[in-house]
Amino acid sequence: MTSKPIADADNRSPTRATPSEAPRDDLKDWLEPDEEVVALLAGDGATLSATQHRVVIVRDGSEYRPKSGVRSWPYEQVTSVQLSRPQHGQARFVIRTGRYPWQAVSVFFNVSQLPDAERMVREVSRRVRVRSDRR
């Protein structure tokens, strides 16, 4: 599977979706034609999605910072996912791709999104297990 190229500045849409539409609309630009979102977590400054093939993070303003704006990992590269204990109205979703600190990515989210985060953990963990069982 090849990843879609990051859009040029000239291809950006001048209009912005409403907050409830924004995460899914932003993702459409970054997913392959055969990819479907199976879980979604709208975090603070980023949207985390799980598809049947990979985990994708689209940071707010991704079209302006292509190197860090969109990142994805096939499930074969994910070693673990976890939720931090909520504090002061926020929690954190962590994706690890190795044992070193720089091999982890965090998305902070409001505790009101906890059900979405828990669903994300279940979906990603299940898909990581299925991939590791095939090896």
Side-chain angles (χ1 to χ4, degrees), residues 31-91:
L31 299 180
E32 297 296 323
D34 67 333
E35 279 185 295
E36 180 180 318
V37 174
V38 296
L40 183 73
L41 175 61
D44 297 339
T47 300
L48 178 65
S49 68
T51 73
Q52 66 271 42
H53 304 297
R54 61 188 173 146
V55 178
V56 181
I57 292 178
V58 179
R59 302 252 182 228
D60 289 353
S62 60
E63 64 273 9
Y64 298 106
R65 50 184 188 177
K67 288 186 181 180
S68 63
V70 179
R71 296 182 66 194
S72 69
W73 300 267
Y75 292 111
E76 293 85 4
Q77 291 179 359
V78 176
T79 58
S80 68
V81 294
Q82 67 186 70
L83 290 176
S84 68
R85 183 181 311 263
Q87 294 181 336
H88 309 294
Q90 277 200 320

Side-chain angles (χ1 to χ4, degrees), residues 25 29 55 63-64 106-107 109 132:
D25 286 349
D29 295 337
V55 178
E63 64 273 9
Y64 298 106
S106 297
V107 173
F109 61 93
S132 65

Side-chain angles (χ1 to χ4, degrees), residues 12-16:
R12 275 183 261 126
S13 169
T15 59
R16 194 75 182 140

Side-chain angles (χ1 to χ4, degrees), residues 91-107:
R92 182 173 68 148
F93 188 98
V94 180
I95 300 168
R96 293 194 166 280
T97 59
R99 65 181 194 185
Y100 299 107
W102 60 84
Q103 294 173 309
V105 175
S106 297
V107 173

